[in-house]
Amino acid sequence: MKAAVWYGARDVRIAEVGVPAPLRGEVLVEVAYCGICGSDLHEYADGPHAIPVAAPHPASGATAPLVLGHEFCGTVAALGPSVTGLAIGDRVAVEPNYRCGVCPRCRAGEYNICRHFGFAGLMGNGGMAEYAAIPAYMAHRLPETVSLEQAALFEPASVALHALRRAGTTPETMAVVGLGPIGLLTVLLARQRGVRRILAVDVSPARLELAAGLGATDLIDAGREGDAGERIHELTGGEGVDAAFEVAGSEIALRTCLAATRRGGRIVLVGLAQEVSLDAFALVNNEQSIIASVGYRDTYPELIRLVAEQHLDLTPVVTSTIVLDDLVSHGFEALLGGPGNQVKILVDPAAHRTGAPVPHPPADRTEEQR
């Protein structure tokens, strides 16, 4: 089968590899779509960041080179020993979180902060391939009313949904700073959850326009309107918003959120910034709270229900679908080239497939690596 294999920074190869046989507790998924995430871009541009290179990841047993892609869905093609509750032919969304199930955080139900947390497609082989073998607990069966294109967006939508939950009680007013796929999906899900006023901040007019279509009530072009935090205060009568979501991963975006949030409000950190500085004196005096949000937990059932029963449509963030052979040129390089007109790119590994190969276990994969 074809797969996108990460060997190093700027070295992702579309290669022919063996189709993995599902081990005990695993299922083999015939991949329908796999989205390109910002994490994939970072690994391609200047990784490794999360990809294990020196020692195997404790949950997956994998080291580089490995298959990228954690935003994927597809159809169950084979079942490993001891798998129950799934059948060949089931359409599934993949929740790619590894978890050990026995550490204190897993036992508390907080598997997104498991001691051995990781993602298939970053810490183990993922879905930028025609087939992927995953632990069965990652597979969520889809009702017929949920398309595979919608299911391909459940992973980034889960990041947005978890961040909204981390904000606590649904705010009356909120700001979203950074309108990449996660920021746009935060806008969409906030509107669905009944947030009355959503102020969207970005430097891209195209992304601001898209945010308006997803439910943003106010648009702030940070490249043209000067201090976005001050502008939000003006638009809210000098009060500021109840909650602000930093989804850009930068110190400037964090400072915008702090300036935009009312006294007693909450800032939710979603973007992956490095070291930042802030005015702790002002933070204390304003009694603001900063809270982090990483990954997600228990989000897929809610998203499946919202799409199936309330007709929530996640697909407006998709700007193109490409074939696996074009991943680097029309995927990574297109997204790294700047804001442009691309937001979320889906990869269709099945495009131009000539036949379904018979699964067989690769030589370097053992039962202990399940």
Side-chain angles (χ1 to χ4, degrees):
M1 68 173 186
K2 281 187 178 180
V5 183
W6 186 94
Y7 282 85
R10 302 281 173 170
D11 187 7
V12 172
R13 309 174 195 176
I14 309 304
E16 287 288 339
V17 301
V19 177
L23 302 175
R24 181 173 298 277
E26 292 185 337
V27 296
L28 183 71
V29 174
E30 181 180 353
V31 179
Y33 296 105
C34 186
I36 300 175
C37 176
S39 299
D40 301 321
L41 288 179
H42 288 306
E43 297 293 350
Y44 167 73
D46 51 19
H49 299 286
I51 292 175
V53 293
H57 186 270
S60 70
T63 56
L66 55 75
V67 179
L68 289 174
H70 58 280
E71 299 181 0
F72 64 106
C73 62
T75 303
V76 175
L79 304 174
S82 79
V83 172
T84 60
L86 291 167
I88 293 173
D90 282 347
R91 298 158 61 254
V92 295
V94 176
E95 180 182 1
N97 297 12
Y98 291 116
R99 75 288 301 258
C100 71
V102 297
C103 74
R105 299 280 49 85
C106 279
R107 291 200 304 269
E110 299 170 339
Y111 60 83
N112 64 310
I113 46 176
C114 168
R115 182 178 296 167
H116 302 304
F117 175 74
F119 288 97
L122 287 171
M123 291 80 161
N125 289 312
M128 292 280 187
E130 294 182 65
Y131 292 87
I134 58 167
Y137 62 71
M138 292 183 177
H140 293 260
R141 188 188 294 108
L142 299 171
E144 289 302 317
T145 50
V146 176
S147 72
L148 286 167
E149 188 179 14
Q150 296 277 4
L153 299 165
F154 283 175
E155 200 281 338
S158 287
V159 176
L161 178 56
H162 185 66
L164 287 163
R165 290 175 177 176
R166 293 284 286 163
T169 304
T170 300
E172 282 288 309
T173 60
M174 58 177 269
V176 179
V177 182
L179 298 176
I182 303 299
L184 289 166
L185 289 166
T186 302
V187 170
L188 174 63
L189 288 167
R191 172 57 65 190
Q192 187 278 329
R193 291 167 76 85
V195 178
R196 177 179 59 82
R197 193 170 186 186
I198 305 168
L199 298 94
V201 181
D202 204 276
V203 297
S204 166
R207 294 191 177 202
L208 287 164
E209 183 179 351
L210 184 51
L214 296 176
T217 57
D218 301 82
L219 308 177
I220 296 99
D221 187 331
R224 295 183 179 181
E225 297 188 42
D227 191 312
E230 288 184 4
R231 180 61 178 146
I232 290 171
H233 262 276
E234 291 174 8
L235 291 169
T236 56
E239 174 67 3
V241 294
D242 297 327
F245 295 79
E246 193 290 299
V247 203
S250 74
E251 183 172 321
I252 292 174
L254 172 58
R255 291 186 177 185
T256 296
C257 288
L258 287 164
T261 305
R262 64 166 173 80
R263 291 173 178 266
R266 177 169 288 192
I267 296 93
V268 182
L269 299 184
V270 188
L272 300 176
Q274 297 296 319
E275 293 185 9
V276 297
S277 63
L278 53 84
D279 185 344
F281 186 80
L283 182 70
V284 172
N285 277 350
N286 290 327
E287 202 175 61
Q288 294 169 315
S289 300
I290 297 178
I291 191 163
S293 179
V294 63
Y296 39 82
R297 59 178 179 262
D298 305 318
T299 52
Y300 274 57
E302 181 173 346
L303 289 168
I304 290 171
R305 180 184 61 80
L306 290 173
V307 172
E309 299 176 11
Q310 298 188 21
H311 309 295
L312 178 70
D313 185 9
L314 303 171
T315 60
V317 301
V318 177
T319 47
S320 64
T321 300
I322 63 174
V323 300
L324 191 58
D325 284 333
D326 292 339
L327 173 64
V328 172
S329 59
H330 291 74
F332 293 156
E333 292 296 341
L335 290 166
L336 288 170
N341 61 352
Q342 295 292 347
V343 179
K344 173 60 65 179
I345 298 176
L346 299 184
V347 178
D348 179 358
H352 309 303
R353 182 184 293 157
T354 57
V358 177
H360 63 276
D364 60 349
R365 196 163 180 268
T366 67
E367 183 72 26
E368 287 71 34
Q369 291 177 316
R370 65 183 182 277

